[in-house]
Amino acid sequence: MAERSQTAPEAGNDMGNDDAIGGNVSKYMVFPNGYCGQPKKGHLIFDACFESGNLGRVDQISDFEYDLFIRPDTCNPRFRVWFNFTVENVKESQRIIFNIVNFSKTKSLYRDGMAPMVKSTSRPKWQRLPPKNVYYYRCPDHRKNYVMSFAFCFDREDDIYQFAYCYPYTYTRFQHYLDSLQKRNMDYFFREQLGQSVQQRQLDLLTITSPDNLREGAEQKVVFITGRVHPGETPSSFVCQGIIDFLVSQHPIARVLREYLVFKIAPMLNPDGVYLGNYRCSLMGFDLNRHWLDPSPWAHPTLYGVKQLIIQMYNDPKTSLEFYIDIHAHSTMMNGFMYGNIFEDEERFQRQAVFPKLLCQNAEDFSYSSTSFNRDAVKAGTGRRFLGGLLDHTSYCYTLEVSFYSYIIGGTTAAVPYTEEAYMKLGRNVARTFLDYYRLNPMVEKLSIPMPRLRKEKAPPYKYPLLRGPASNYPNGKGDKKSSVNHQDPSNSF
């Protein structure tokens, strides 16, 4: 290896294989092989020692090429997907090829035109690299792993450049966002700390509803939404923010929804993993979305807190837990789509399909054809599967997935890359869809507000366009058995 570090002169020689990656690189300067002089412009400095950063190792192949290794998730070497690092001390017009060489997944949207994100100190808005500069291939030089290579030309010597797998959304950003909402003193927005993570970060719970719905003895129809159980799935946070921004707005639809429903939102279930720059796991190496069956109060405290609250609401005769939606991002599929559960009761199954069909009518980027209902054994510990088995027939549990990369509008074949705003727009459309589901449109029409609709694909007809009502309106479906049938499945200024 040809690199040397100012802070740790022999660091490069200590990194003989993937197992040697113990942490993120910190201001790691790479010198040419045999170089003995003072550092010069063009001797790149790599850094990932910041919140949500991830880069475990750098190998210089030549003056123009570097192999980069993702640091595995903390305490779990299986997951290597998320990366987020900076490069500085560049020379103007310096052209480099970076190879991300140790992805843990083989299938990737990089096959379909996805490209890494980049920004710099003088251009702080994230942009996607041109897809023509990105290559994804199986490499015999790296144990036949799949490698993502991208070419980049540094154009400003004084800039620090940052590269990431997708738009980052950090724990600190999230806390500042919630702080700003609190300062608005809205009487229909409530923030509380439901618990703490292993590293003592806050598990925030938001309640958005009319104060009348929270008075003692009031009956509540609850929509429970969670996000970022997988920390590298950053689009989840943008979708969640879109939902929250819409629900706290003065839009007439939002006002009607607050009168009729109680929204409980836990937007960041894995704050430690988010802070650490993990892709899928918590501080202790757990995939929290496989531990819903029996979460530990000390090993999975955030999950434990949310589950206890949901069970408490389920046991409250005044509370009808109508929806549970867990928001994720998908690394191999386009568009937004949902996963739902399978039930032997055909009427219940049909009713469960209503919400995603309505969402398909409201959101041009949501695909009902990609939505599937399943009971895969590997998903048994997920929130959707566990709560789908716990809650009764008046409750519907979904995983909402959104692509890390793009969506395809019906009638076209061109992929439209997601932006932060497009993710948030999907969140707004999720919130709007509850108006259609509960047939509350007449309440909005009284306010004389137009209802624009974007249509991507024709939603399939559904048999049971039922209004939600008291549990007594439905046959007793507690303990329904599930069948084994699968109904499945820019221009760049740099």
Side-chain angles (χ1 to χ4, degrees), residues 50-292:
F50 51 84
E51 186 178 1
S52 293
N54 187 312
L55 182 63
R57 170 179 159 192
V58 179
D59 288 356
Q60 185 182 36
I61 305 305
S62 72
D63 289 347
F64 312 101
E65 186 172 6
Y66 296 81
D67 282 354
L68 309 180
F69 292 75
I70 298 167
R71 174 190 54 80
D73 280 11
T74 314
C75 300
N76 194 324
R78 287 180 54 207
F79 300 107
R80 303 178 307 278
V81 176
W82 174 258
F83 59 85
N84 184 11
F85 61 92
T86 63
V87 180
E88 57 186 297
N89 199 45
V90 305
K91 192 159 62 175
E92 187 176 346
S93 300
Q94 186 174 6
R95 297 178 182 273
I96 299 292
I97 294 174
F98 295 117
N99 309 308
I100 309 279
V101 302
N102 67 334
F103 283 113
S104 58
K105 287 190 169 190
T106 55
K107 293 181 180 179
S108 172
L109 284 165
Y110 288 121
R111 300 175 305 181
D112 303 308
M114 182 165 131
M117 311 301 304
V118 63
K119 71 174 185 176
S120 71
T121 44
S122 67
R123 287 151 296 184
K125 183 177 175 61
W126 287 102
Q127 300 179 54
R128 292 188 187 273
L129 293 175
K132 63 184 176 64
N133 292 358
V134 182
Y135 311 88
Y136 186 73
Y137 55 98
R138 197 166 192 174
C139 182
D141 294 336
H142 294 285
R143 307 177 189 172
K144 296 186 178 179
N145 279 354
Y146 280 81
V147 170
M148 187 271 291
S149 297
F150 62 96
F152 192 81
C153 179
F154 297 102
D155 59 350
R156 300 186 185 178
E157 291 194 350
D158 296 330
D159 269 17
I160 298 174
Y161 295 78
Q162 185 172 351
F163 301 92
Y165 181 84
C166 191
Y167 303 96
Y169 196 113
T170 65
Y171 172 77
T172 296
R173 172 176 176 168
F174 171 56
Q175 291 298 311
H176 288 161
Y177 169 65
L178 295 187
D179 291 345
S180 70
L181 289 177
Q182 265 191 299
K183 289 174 183 174
R184 291 164 59 182
N185 292 319
M186 299 171 284
D187 67 354
Y188 47 80
F189 173 84
F190 309 88
R191 177 189 183 186
E192 59 188 297
Q193 184 175 309
L194 187 57
Q196 288 186 319
S197 67
V198 174
Q199 288 188 316
Q200 306 300 296
R201 294 187 179 89
Q202 286 186 199
L203 171 61
D204 288 283
L205 176 70
L206 312 180
T207 302
I208 303 173
T209 191
S210 166
D212 290 343
N213 293 327
L214 300 179
R215 71 183 188 279
E216 191 170 349
E219 293 190 356
Q220 298 183 353
K221 294 180 183 291
V222 175
V223 174
F224 207 107
I225 298 171
T226 56
R228 287 301 281 282
V229 70
H230 291 150
E233 296 176 8
T234 57
S236 166
S237 284
F238 293 103
V239 175
C240 217
Q241 181 172 327
I243 293 172
I244 296 166
D245 283 343
F246 184 78
L247 291 176
V248 301
S249 74
Q250 289 305 310
H251 195 289
I253 295 175
R255 287 156 54 191
V256 169
L257 291 176
R258 293 196 298 265
E259 290 297 318
Y260 193 76
L261 297 168
V262 178
F263 291 89
K264 297 277 187 180
I265 307 177
M268 193 170 281
L269 287 185
N270 191 348
D272 289 348
V274 169
Y275 187 89
L276 293 167
N278 288 349
Y279 175 65
R280 196 171 180 91
C281 296
S282 65
L283 168 75
M284 300 173 71
F286 294 112
D287 179 347
L288 296 182
N289 204 36
R290 295 297 182 269
H291 288 274
W292 277 90

Side-chain angles (χ1 to χ4, degrees), residues 211-434:
D212 290 343
N213 293 327
L214 300 179
R215 71 183 188 279
E216 191 170 349
E219 293 190 356
Q220 298 183 353
K221 294 180 183 291
V222 175
V223 174
F224 207 107
I225 298 171
T226 56
R228 287 301 281 282
V229 70
H230 291 150
E233 296 176 8
T234 57
S236 166
S237 284
F238 293 103
V239 175
C240 217
Q241 181 172 327
I243 293 172
I244 296 166
D245 283 343
F246 184 78
L247 291 176
V248 301
S249 74
Q250 289 305 310
H251 195 289
I253 295 175
R255 287 156 54 191
V256 169
L257 291 176
R258 293 196 298 265
E259 290 297 318
Y260 193 76
L261 297 168
V262 178
F263 291 89
K264 297 277 187 180
I265 307 177
M268 193 170 281
L269 287 185
N270 191 348
D272 289 348
V274 169
Y275 187 89
L276 293 167
N278 288 349
Y279 175 65
R280 196 171 180 91
C281 296
S282 65
L283 168 75
M284 300 173 71
F286 294 112
D287 179 347
L288 296 182
N289 204 36
R290 295 297 182 269
H291 288 274
W292 277 90
L293 291 171
D294 188 25
S296 157
W298 65 271
H300 326 107
T302 56
L303 207 61
Y304 180 84
V306 170
K307 180 180 175 180
Q308 293 301 111
L309 175 62
I310 290 176
I311 291 174
Q312 177 185 326
M313 289 192 299
Y314 175 64
N315 292 327
D316 183 348
K318 293 283 189 180
T319 300
S320 173
L321 183 50
E322 311 252 306
F323 281 88
Y324 171 77
I325 301 177
D326 189 27
I327 307 175
H328 289 251
H330 207 282
S331 64
T332 62
M333 293 181 67
M334 306 285 199
N335 296 85
F337 58 95
M338 280 179 152
Y339 293 122
N341 295 314
I342 285 178
F343 307 101
E344 280 185 353
D345 180 349
E346 181 64 17
E347 180 187 352
R348 184 181 184 189
F349 176 77
Q350 292 289 345
R351 282 191 277 114
Q352 181 191 221
V354 171
F355 188 86
K357 288 175 181 176
L358 291 173
L359 179 55
C360 179
Q361 293 179 353
N362 290 337
E364 63 179 353
D365 58 321
F366 185 86
S367 170
Y368 185 79
S369 60
S370 295
T371 293
S372 65
F373 303 90
N374 60 60
R375 53 172 300 172
D376 299 345
V378 72
K379 302 289 182 68
T382 65
R384 166 184 60 94
R385 283 288 308 280
F386 170 74
L387 294 172
L390 170 73
L391 305 177
D392 63 24
H393 64 284
T394 64
S395 304
Y396 299 112
C397 302
Y398 305 94
T399 300
L400 172 61
E401 297 273 2
V402 61
S403 176
F404 271 110
Y405 172 39
S406 68
Y407 57 96
I408 298 174
I409 300 176
T412 73
T413 56
V416 182
Y418 271 107
T419 62
E420 295 181 17
E421 170 56 27
Y423 286 129
M424 289 192 273
K425 182 178 180 181
L426 176 59
R428 295 195 295 272
N429 285 326
V430 168
R432 284 170 173 264
T433 301
F434 289 106

